[in-house]
Amino acid sequence: MAVKYKLLKAIDISGLSFLSPVVRLVTGEEPAKQVREIGRFIVVPVVAFLVFLWLWSVLAPKHKTKAGEVPTPTVVWDAAGGIWRFHERESAKESAYQLTGPDREEKLTAARARLGELDALEAGAKEQLDAAEASSKERFDAIVAPSKAAHEQAQATARQSRRDRTAALREKASAAASSPDERSALLREMRAADATAEVEKAKVDALKDAYAEAQEVAFPQVKSARNALTRLAEERQFLVKYIDMLSDNSREAKVAVAKQKLDEATAAYDSAAPDADLYKLGGAVLKRQELLATTEASQYAKPWTLPKQIVRSLLCVFTGFLLASVIAIPIGILCGLSPTFMAATTPFVALFKPVSPLVWLPIIMIIVGGFMPDPENHWLVVAFGKVPFIKDYKIDPMFLSSAITVALCSLWATLVNTALGVASVDKDHMNVARVLRLGFADRLLKIVIPTALPLIFAGLRISLGVGWMVLVAAEILSTSEGIGKFVNDMYTNGSSQSFAQMFVVVFIVGIIGMLLDRIMVVFQRLVSFDTAQAAI
Amino acid sequence: MDQTSRTTLRKLAAAAVFLGVATPVTHAEKLAVEKDALKLGFIKLTDCAPIVIAKEKGFFDDEGLQVEVTAQSNWKVLLDNVITGNLDGAHMLSGQPIAATIGIGTEAHIVTPYTLDLNGNGITVSNSIWEQMQENDPDLDSDTPEHPISADALKPIAEELLAEGKKLQMGMVFPVSTHNYEIRYWLAASGIHPGYYSKTDVAGRTDAEVELSVTPPPQMPATLEAGTISGYCVGEPWNQQAVAKGIGVPVVTNYEIWKNNPEKVFGVTRKWADENPNTLVAVTKALIRAGKWLDETDASGKLVNREEACRILSQPNYVGADFEVIKNSMTGTFIFQKSDVQDMPDFNVFFKHDCSYPWYSDGVWFLTQMRRWGQITEAKPASWYDETVKKIYLPEVYKKAAASLIEEGNLTDAELTKTEDGYKPATTDFIDGLGYDGRKPIEYLNSFEIGLKDDPSLAGK
């Protein structure tokens, strides 16, 4: 039983209250009620999500624009697979570069064997594509031919009749020079001819549109055959590079060459005749040593992949969030304590709170850039470059600008909530403190902050949510590596996969945002005395 | 053969036997690069190929360089990143190093040792403009109209709009980009005024009959479809993308506007070049090999490596467009309409026609266009053109790299560009047939019907 209540308490604190009926049901507490609750809090949301998926998969194919199709859930799932494959392949190359000895040989043999298999597979896929293309070409011609013929014929007739009409009118014009009546009749006829031409043109245009529409016909089997071939070709591309990284271009091979060169240079230096240019030979040895050292430390220049970009975005949002908290909480406390200070701050809060991150970012980029004329050697960047985990994520001015933008946009919620929390401290508590003659620090730490904590955390939770939303926009604009940069890159790629990849990002951003929110809920409930339900 | 060389030969043979190897090429000393981990920027266009290929085919590795290649969102960001040092070097518009050095837009001394490619752009108009052009010129109303298509059929459309108090809107990618000068050239060749820049008019619309605006390349098709612009000049794959999506019709390529015109360059800052001279030569070597690889042909003249290059470029971290779309232009064909597929073996040139050498005459051409349209606000003497371009183009770095490649056996002497003064011979390969000689910029400027003209006496100064 003790376990049950502990579990229920944990569920309550984490705000996952939809799980508590499950626990109660398992322990046999009011089964009928629990089943009803499960139905409401678990089954209904799941069904709603399934309905959403179903609607999406039905409606998406119906909406077609020239810029691309709205991807269906399956396509999005495939795109997620593609993003993951890209990540795995790049990671494989990275590790291949560092492999040594028998491991390397083993991988090399496996990769070569797979490359051998690919030949047959690719030939097969090519054949299928050719067959699909040939058959679709036939069908395409069959579909398009009637409308094409109709259009061409109508065009030719229209031209011919126009020419005929013009010739006839010209003839009349040369004959009709005498009377005014005839002249006005001629004008009428010319106007009529123009109208006929308009009608004919409209007809031709309609046929032309029909012809263009017929050309739009799509052949799914060609598309799938092409996708299959593309996937194999991409694998070949990967394997060729992978094998290169395992053999000639592996670090082991490069180090071996560098070592040999160093040995040669050392030998030349040691065995040189006394009258030889020792200075020059010594220089060569030193240079060789340096080259060997850089080769040994060299890394595969791996492109950024989504998983790594996600981590960098998280780092960035937490940097910004930390900065926002460090600024907002003290100012908020001061505001809450002193109405005068509050009055002084209010205009700034009112003025800067509504400013969009897209406006802040360029301004901050200029300011940060001014402090870092030579970013690579700036002390801050160098310092971050020495921190074990963070150094892999290249802290640069763009990262700092994005983080500061996040801070500037998200600090307001914390500031306002903190001020509110501090201002609402019970007067009696303060009076007691005065009676007890508590110092300022004691009053702050023992009364003010503990009372204000729930509201401070409520503010922090909103701040983190805002920060996460702002960050993606900031990264798109600053091209700082992260989720935003990924979205921007996919958008600029404009490939058939782009939209699906952006949908994947929607879910990733959503899920991470949700998790961040949950974490803040837990903190908020841990410091709260009340038992009110956390909002979802 | 004299005695000494015979002994040398014998010694060499003995050495070869002693080493137990028979390498056909002698590997020259690897350059001692000052910096071995580089970050290069590019814009998602197929003409970034030499940089991507040099990385993927290991040419950078061979020079001892570990290169990270990162996409930039637009030319302004790219240039700023090069200037601030976030990037070591980048894929740049030919006009960018020139404009930055002489102070049009952001001012910074940028230099270039390598021309990445020739040609590769096109002008696309929307379907409705194309239909109106076909009405104006019935010869165009065909599944395979005759090329090159001039802007003559566009002129009545522009005039009609002017009469209504509106102006035809067209897009280009950057104020100092080749695209801007090409679309201006194409329009002006048919008597349509694209507008002057001046000190106060930085949008370049003074006297304009057609208004040009800046749109980032990837957004061109969407902007065209939305109707904000009626046409654009851009690099690949964005013209073929318009055909693939059925939203526009490419009417002319820049190969037809000026045959084998320089397009993109590899740019670094002067400061970086001074601090890393060996690295710059090493990068140039890798780029030359990449260009050569891209233009390799078999006996029948078919480009053999382009398909692989397209596969590489279609990776999401590079150009990222669909393989089929990239392939259209990169493998020597260009699709004007679905019914009009033309062979254009020289649509993308990366090495042949002495492409990669940094020609002074190319730089001077851009300077003349900047003056023609008023981006250079003051008249300059002919000598200024020569001096300016010599501050920006670095053929000496190119020559050093090429010599080193020849020594290694990766380049033959026949493939080396040979020139005395760094200027290409005079040419008349333009859509309007005007002659251009880089040594005579003032005469060239004064030969245009539309454009600013300078005092002829400046030619001798």
Side-chain angles (χ1 to χ4, degrees):
Chain A
M1 276 304 110
V3 179
K4 174 185 164 186
Y5 288 110
K6 265 187 193 158
L7 213 57
L8 285 175
K9 175 117 181 64
I11 285 171
D12 182 48
I13 286 178
S14 59
L16 303 169
S17 49
F18 65 91
L19 286 177
S20 58
V22 179
V23 176
R24 287 180 203 273
L25 184 69
V26 170
T27 53
E29 188 188 318
E30 291 180 277
K33 187 185 167 203
Q34 305 315 331
V35 169
R36 242 187 348 240
E37 299 247 305
I38 289 176
R40 187 181 303 155
F41 294 117
I42 297 179
V43 178
V44 170
V46 168
V47 169
F49 193 74
L50 290 177
V51 169
F52 162 71
L53 281 183
W54 174 76
L55 271 179
W56 176 11
S57 57
V58 171
L59 292 179
K62 297 201 170 147
H63 184 79
K64 266 183 195 162
T65 66
K66 281 178 175 164
E69 290 166 23
V70 178
T72 58
T74 354
V75 177
V76 172
W77 182 250
D78 281 350
I83 293 172
W84 182 249
R85 235 184 355 263
F86 181 69
H87 169 70
E88 275 192 324
R89 284 182 178 162
E90 287 305 324
S91 306
K93 284 185 207 166
E94 188 185 33
S95 63
Y97 183 66
Q98 293 165 1
L99 277 181
T100 51
D103 287 348
R104 186 166 68 92
E105 295 296 334
E106 202 177 301
K107 295 254 177 194
L108 192 58
T109 329
R112 283 201 173 124
R114 176 68 190 153
L115 194 62
E117 284 170 30
L118 268 187
D119 287 336
L121 285 174
E122 232 176 329
K126 187 122 204 352
E127 233 165 70
Q128 266 181 350
L129 177 63
D130 287 344
E133 265 179 350
S135 82
S136 71
K137 178 89 177 52
E138 259 169 45
R139 278 174 49 207
F140 179 80
D141 288 344
I143 293 169
V144 168
S147 59
K148 185 180 181 193
H151 169 242
E152 276 172 0
Q153 207 204 324
Q155 199 176 28
T157 351
R159 269 189 200 156
Q160 189 53 45
S161 64
R162 184 181 206 156
R163 232 170 272 144
D164 292 348
R165 272 199 307 275
T166 316
L169 282 171
R170 273 186 194 285
E171 207 170 294
K172 270 198 187 141
S174 58
S178 52
S179 80
D181 276 358
E182 270 176 333
R183 287 199 181 188
S184 59
L186 177 67
L187 259 190
R188 266 200 307 281
E189 268 181 58
M190 280 169 72
R191 201 170 291 135
D194 273 356
T196 327
E198 279 289 312
V199 172
E200 274 175 357
K201 186 176 174 298
K203 268 188 210 152
V204 173
D205 281 352
L207 284 168
K208 191 176 187 176
D209 286 347
Y211 174 36
E213 206 170 295
Q215 284 176 310
E216 292 291 308
V217 61
F219 297 96
Q221 73 270 38
V222 176
K223 207 170 160 190
S224 67
R226 194 169 284 152
N227 284 346
L229 182 62
T230 299
R231 193 177 271 214
L232 288 173
E234 274 171 5
E235 191 178 349
R236 165 181 300 276
Q237 202 54 57
F238 158 69
L239 279 174
V240 168
K241 186 80 187 168
Y242 183 62
I243 289 171
D244 185 46
M245 302 301 273
L246 281 171
S247 49
D248 296 349
N249 256 324
S250 74
R251 188 158 70 185
E252 196 179 25
K254 282 188 185 171
V255 168
V257 172
K259 261 204 185 111
Q260 192 199 337
K261 288 264 172 73
L262 174 61
D263 289 346
E264 279 168 23
T266 319
Y269 181 72
D270 290 345
S271 63
D275 59 334
D277 188 351
L278 277 182
Y279 180 77
K280 194 176 159 198
L281 288 171
V285 172
L286 292 184
K287 193 186 119 193
R288 286 289 160 210
Q289 274 169 349
E290 203 182 315
L291 272 177
L292 179 62
T294 49
T295 316
E296 273 173 341
S298 69
Q299 295 284 341
Y300 168 63
K302 184 183 165 193
W304 287 85
T305 54
L306 188 57
K308 202 176 168 193
Q309 283 167 320
I310 292 175
V311 178
R312 193 169 192 262
S313 282
L314 281 170
L315 265 181
C316 192
V317 84
F318 277 114
T319 312
F321 176 64
L322 211 67
L323 209 61
S325 309
V326 168
I327 297 169
I329 295 177
I331 297 182
I333 290 175
L334 285 176
C335 282
L337 289 177
S338 149
T340 323
F341 192 82
M342 172 100 87
T345 346
T346 307
F348 295 102
V349 176
L351 188 64
F352 293 132
K353 199 171 81 174
V355 177
S356 155
L358 302 182
V359 181
W360 281 128
L361 186 81
I363 299 173
I364 291 163
M365 266 160 62
I366 294 174
I367 297 173
V368 170
F371 281 110
M372 299 183 159
D374 181 13
E376 253 175 47
N377 299 320
H378 191 270
W379 63 267
L380 199 59
V381 174
V382 173
F384 274 122
K386 285 185 182 137
V387 185
F389 170 72
I390 294 172
K391 71 170 188 238
D392 295 337
Y393 292 90
K394 299 219 175 94
I395 308 303
D396 54 14
M398 291 302 179
F399 177 92
L400 296 173
S401 307
S402 306
I404 295 173
T405 307
V406 167
L408 269 179
C409 291
S410 65
L411 63 84
W412 312 108
T414 307
L415 200 160
V416 172
N417 269 302
T418 308
L420 198 69
V422 172
S424 63
V425 173
D426 202 328
K427 282 278 167 316
D428 292 345
H429 292 168
M430 296 306 271
N431 288 337
V432 172
R434 210 162 291 144
V435 171
L436 291 176
R437 298 202 173 171
L438 288 181
F440 177 73
D442 274 340
R443 250 189 283 167
L444 196 67
L445 294 174
K446 294 203 169 129
I447 298 172
V448 174
I449 293 183
T451 325
L453 261 189
L455 267 174
I456 295 180
F457 270 89
L460 288 176
R461 182 182 160 200
I462 301 172
S463 284
L464 190 59
V466 170
W468 182 240
M469 236 157 68
V470 164
L471 177 75
V472 176
E475 281 175 345
I476 287 183
L477 198 64
S478 69
T479 61
S480 165
E481 286 295 348
I483 296 178
K485 171 92 178 343
F486 179 84
V487 173
N488 195 39
D489 281 353
M490 291 311 119
Y491 175 61
T492 33
N493 280 353
S495 81
S496 50
Q497 287 283 300
S498 295
F499 286 104
Q501 282 157 335
M502 280 150 87
F503 271 69
V504 174
V505 172
V506 168
F507 286 102
I508 290 174
V509 171
I511 290 169
I512 293 175
M514 193 171 77
L515 290 178
L516 291 179
D517 195 56
R518 284 293 112 181
I519 293 170
M520 291 312 289
V521 168
V522 174
F523 279 122
Q524 198 186 337
R525 293 182 71 86
L526 281 175
V527 299
S528 296
F529 305 113
D530 59 356
T531 47
Q533 281 237 334
I536 294 171
Chain B
M1 199 186 270
D2 64 23
Q3 192 59 42
T4 45
S5 63
R6 207 171 292 158
T7 18
T8 323
L9 265 183
R10 209 175 298 141
K11 269 186 195 159
L12 275 176
V17 171
F18 172 69
L19 288 169
V21 283
T23 38
V25 287
T26 53
H27 272 282
E29 268 304 285
K30 204 195 269 179
L31 284 161
V33 292
E34 294 84 2
K35 195 171 175 190
D36 65 335
L38 301 182
K39 227 174 136 179
L40 305 182
F42 73 99
I43 298 284
K44 288 176 178 276
L45 295 165
T46 52
D47 50 25
C48 68
I51 295 177
V52 170
I53 294 302
K55 174 174 163 62
E56 284 293 316
K57 298 304 290 180
F59 300 142
F60 282 135
D61 288 336
D62 290 352
E63 302 301 326
L65 301 168
Q66 284 296 327
V67 177
E68 194 187 324
V69 180
T70 45
Q72 306 292 307
S73 58
N74 60 53
W75 294 113
K76 168 97 176 76
V77 167
L78 175 137
L79 183 64
D80 287 349
N81 279 339
V82 171
I83 295 171
T84 56
N86 287 332
L87 293 173
D88 293 296
H91 164 224
M92 283 185 189
L93 295 158
S94 288
Q96 262 184 320
I98 301 172
T101 304
I102 62 177
I104 302 172
T106 318
E107 188 162 0
H109 194 165
I110 307 280
V111 293
T112 171
Y114 187 83
T115 304
L116 290 169
D117 69 318
L118 305 181
N119 311 326
N121 296 333
I123 296 177
T124 295
V125 296
S126 69
N127 290 332
S128 79
I129 293 287
W130 175 239
E131 271 166 31
Q132 292 176 51
M133 284 174 73
Q134 287 178 326
E135 273 168 36
N136 294 333
D137 182 357
D139 288 344
L140 297 179
D141 196 0
S142 138
D143 274 352
T144 49
E146 195 183 324
H147 294 281
I149 296 171
S150 76
D152 290 346
L154 190 70
K155 194 171 162 66
I157 304 172
E159 281 170 351
E160 214 168 284
L161 278 171
L162 271 181
E164 291 170 22
K166 290 184 218 153
K167 283 179 184 174
L168 189 66
Q169 301 290 325
M170 295 187 96
M172 47 84 181
V173 306
F174 203 63
V176 296
S177 71
T178 37
H179 316 84
N180 187 17
Y181 305 123
E182 280 157 13
I183 195 167
R184 278 164 181 274
Y185 201 103
W186 183 66
L187 291 170
S190 294
I192 306 174
H193 201 306
Y196 290 130
Y197 291 86
S198 69
K199 266 192 186 136
T200 47
D201 183 3
V202 286
R205 290 173 174 183
T206 307
D207 298 343
E209 290 169 349
V210 167
E211 286 192 342
L212 300 174
S213 54
V214 172
T215 308
Q219 281 156 34
M220 287 287 189
T223 320
L224 185 75
E225 198 187 6
T228 319
I229 51 175
S230 308
Y232 56 69
C233 181
V234 74
E236 278 314 303
W238 308 109
N239 294 294
Q240 296 297 293
Q241 198 75 279
V243 182
K245 290 176 176 170
I247 57 182
V249 179
V251 282
V252 67
T253 65
N254 63 339
Y255 177 75
E256 296 163 312
I257 297 174
W258 176 17
K259 196 174 147 192
N260 293 332
N261 63 92
E263 178 51 37
K264 301 282 177 350
V265 294
F266 175 74
V268 299
T269 60
R270 175 82 256 175
K271 182 167 166 270
W272 192 92
D274 288 341
E275 284 167 4
N276 307 286
N278 287 343
T279 315
L280 187 60
V281 173
V283 170
T284 310
K285 277 172 72 181
L287 289 176
I288 294 175
R289 284 180 69 192
K292 191 182 157 190
W293 182 87
L294 278 161
D295 270 7
E296 227 159 71
T297 51
D298 60 12
S300 66
K302 189 177 168 290
L303 295 159
V304 286
N305 291 328
R306 288 291 175 93
E307 197 137 325
E308 188 181 347
C310 295
R311 282 279 174 219
I312 294 174
L313 287 172
S314 68
Q315 284 181 25
N317 54 330
Y318 298 130
V319 178
D322 286 351
F323 167 73
E324 278 77 23
V325 175
I326 295 180
K327 199 177 82 171
N328 283 346
S329 64
M330 281 281 279
T331 48
T333 53
F334 191 82
I335 305 183
F336 287 92
Q337 302 175 66
K338 279 183 182 144
S339 56
D340 185 10
V341 183
Q342 299 276 334
D343 273 335
M344 281 218 171
D346 284 352
F347 183 72
N348 275 118
V349 176
F350 294 100
F351 188 70
K352 58 187 174 187
H353 307 313
D354 297 322
C355 153
S356 51
Y357 183 88
W359 291 99
Y360 291 139
S361 48
D362 291 348
V364 170
W365 189 80
F366 287 104
L367 285 169
T368 60
Q369 297 304 305
M370 287 172 186
R371 175 63 194 143
R372 179 184 180 189
W373 302 117
Q375 285 176 322
I376 298 172
T377 47
E378 288 155 28
K380 305 274 186 188
S383 56
W384 177 84
Y385 289 85
D386 184 60
E387 283 158 16
T388 307
V389 77
K390 283 182 177 163
K391 277 200 287 196
I392 299 161
Y393 281 62
L394 305 176
E396 58 281 9
V397 173
Y398 184 92
K399 282 181 196 156
K400 215 187 244 178
S404 165
L405 284 173
I406 289 174
E407 204 181 316
E408 290 170 14
N410 285 320
L411 195 73
T412 61
D413 192 51
E415 290 167 327
L416 186 67
T417 301
K418 288 165 193 85
T419 168
E420 265 172 28
D421 60 355
Y423 281 87
K424 274 187 193 170
T427 167
T428 55
D429 283 334
F430 290 87
I431 195 167
D432 55 1
L434 279 182
Y436 167 62
D437 183 352
R439 302 168 193 91
K440 297 174 184 165
I442 306 296
E443 287 87 334
Y444 184 57
L445 267 177
N446 291 337
S447 69
F448 291 117
E449 212 154 287
I450 299 180
L452 295 179
K453 290 176 184 56
D454 283 340
D455 186 351
S457 71
L458 287 170
K461 284 180 193 167

